[in-house]
Amino acid sequence: MKTEKDEKEEEDEEEEFEEDEEDAGEQPLTEDEEAIVAYLRDDEPLPPDLLQKLLAEWWHQEPFRCLPSLF
Protein backbone atom coordinates (compact mmCIF):
# COMPACT_ATOMS: atom_id res chain seq x y z
CA MET A 1 0.00 0.00 0.00
CA LYS A 2 1.38 3.39 -0.98
CA THR A 3 1.73 6.09 1.58
CA GLU A 4 1.30 9.78 0.93
CA LYS A 5 5.08 10.14 1.05
CA ASP A 6 5.51 7.50 -1.70
CA GLU A 7 2.91 9.20 -3.88
CA LYS A 8 4.57 12.59 -3.39
CA GLU A 9 7.98 11.14 -4.33
CA GLU A 10 6.50 9.61 -7.51
CA GLU A 11 4.93 12.94 -8.48
CA ASP A 12 8.23 14.74 -7.87
CA GLU A 13 10.09 12.21 -10.04
CA GLU A 14 7.57 12.65 -12.86
CA GLU A 15 7.91 16.44 -12.69
CA GLU A 16 11.71 16.19 -12.75
CA PHE A 17 11.55 13.88 -15.77
CA GLU A 18 9.28 16.30 -17.64
CA GLU A 19 11.60 19.21 -16.80
CA ASP A 20 14.62 17.23 -17.97
CA GLU A 21 12.93 16.56 -21.29
CA GLU A 22 12.17 20.26 -21.75
CA ASP A 23 15.60 21.47 -20.66
CA ALA A 24 17.62 18.88 -22.55
CA GLY A 25 18.61 21.50 -25.13
CA GLU A 26 17.83 19.12 -27.95
CA GLN A 27 17.15 20.31 -31.44
CA PRO A 28 13.52 20.44 -32.52
CA LEU A 29 12.29 17.34 -34.32
CA THR A 30 11.99 17.22 -38.09
CA GLU A 31 8.64 16.47 -39.72
CA ASP A 32 9.72 12.87 -40.28
CA GLU A 33 10.80 12.47 -36.67
CA GLU A 34 7.53 13.95 -35.44
CA ALA A 35 5.62 11.51 -37.65
CA ILE A 36 7.59 8.59 -36.18
CA VAL A 37 6.93 9.80 -32.64
CA ALA A 38 3.20 10.11 -33.43
CA TYR A 39 3.27 6.58 -34.87
CA LEU A 40 4.90 5.15 -31.75
CA ARG A 41 2.98 7.19 -29.21
CA ASP A 42 -0.48 7.60 -30.74
CA ASP A 43 -0.60 4.75 -33.28
CA GLU A 44 -0.90 7.27 -36.13
CA PRO A 45 -0.12 5.86 -39.59
CA LEU A 46 3.20 6.86 -41.13
CA PRO A 47 2.93 9.06 -44.22
CA PRO A 48 3.57 7.22 -47.51
CA ASP A 49 6.53 9.44 -48.42
CA LEU A 50 8.23 8.60 -45.11
CA LEU A 51 7.61 4.89 -45.62
CA GLN A 52 9.12 5.20 -49.09
CA LYS A 53 12.24 6.84 -47.65
CA LEU A 54 12.63 4.24 -44.93
CA LEU A 55 11.88 1.11 -46.93
CA ALA A 56 13.53 1.98 -50.25
CA GLU A 57 16.96 1.80 -48.63
CA TRP A 58 16.43 -1.75 -47.36
CA TRP A 59 14.41 -3.16 -50.23
CA HIS A 60 17.45 -4.24 -52.26
CA GLN A 61 19.79 -5.12 -49.42
CA GLU A 62 21.11 -8.50 -48.31
CA PRO A 63 18.24 -10.28 -46.55
CA PHE A 64 16.11 -10.16 -49.68
CA ARG A 65 18.96 -11.16 -52.00
CA CYS A 66 19.96 -14.12 -49.81
CA LEU A 67 16.55 -15.71 -49.36
CA PRO A 68 16.63 -17.87 -52.55
CA SER A 69 19.96 -19.37 -51.49
CA LEU A 70 18.36 -20.60 -48.27
CA PHE A 71 16.00 -22.95 -50.08
Side-chain angles (χ1 to χ4, degrees):
M1 189 168 212
K2 291 185 181 181
T3 65
E4 287 182 28
K5 182 181 177 184
D6 291 337
E7 291 177 5
K8 178 67 174 158
E9 286 176 2
E10 284 180 8
E11 289 175 10
D12 290 343
E13 287 176 8
E14 288 176 9
E15 289 175 7
E16 286 177 20
F17 179 73
E18 290 173 1
E19 289 173 4
D20 288 344
E21 283 183 339
E22 293 172 3
D23 297 335
E26 295 178 10
Q27 296 177 347
L29 298 177
T30 64
E31 271 186 47
D32 291 345
E33 292 167 336
E34 287 179 4
I36 293 169
V37 169
Y39 169 75
L40 295 172
R41 229 186 241 163
D42 306 325
D43 203 27
E44 293 286 326
L46 291 173
D49 59 325
L50 178 57
L51 285 173
Q52 178 67 28
K53 279 190 231 178
L54 296 172
L55 296 177
E57 179 181 336
W58 296 320
W59 189 254
H60 297 289
Q61 287 182 354
E62 281 304 310
F64 299 106
R65 292 184 191 171
C66 295
L67 283 177
S69 65
L70 296 175
F71 299 105

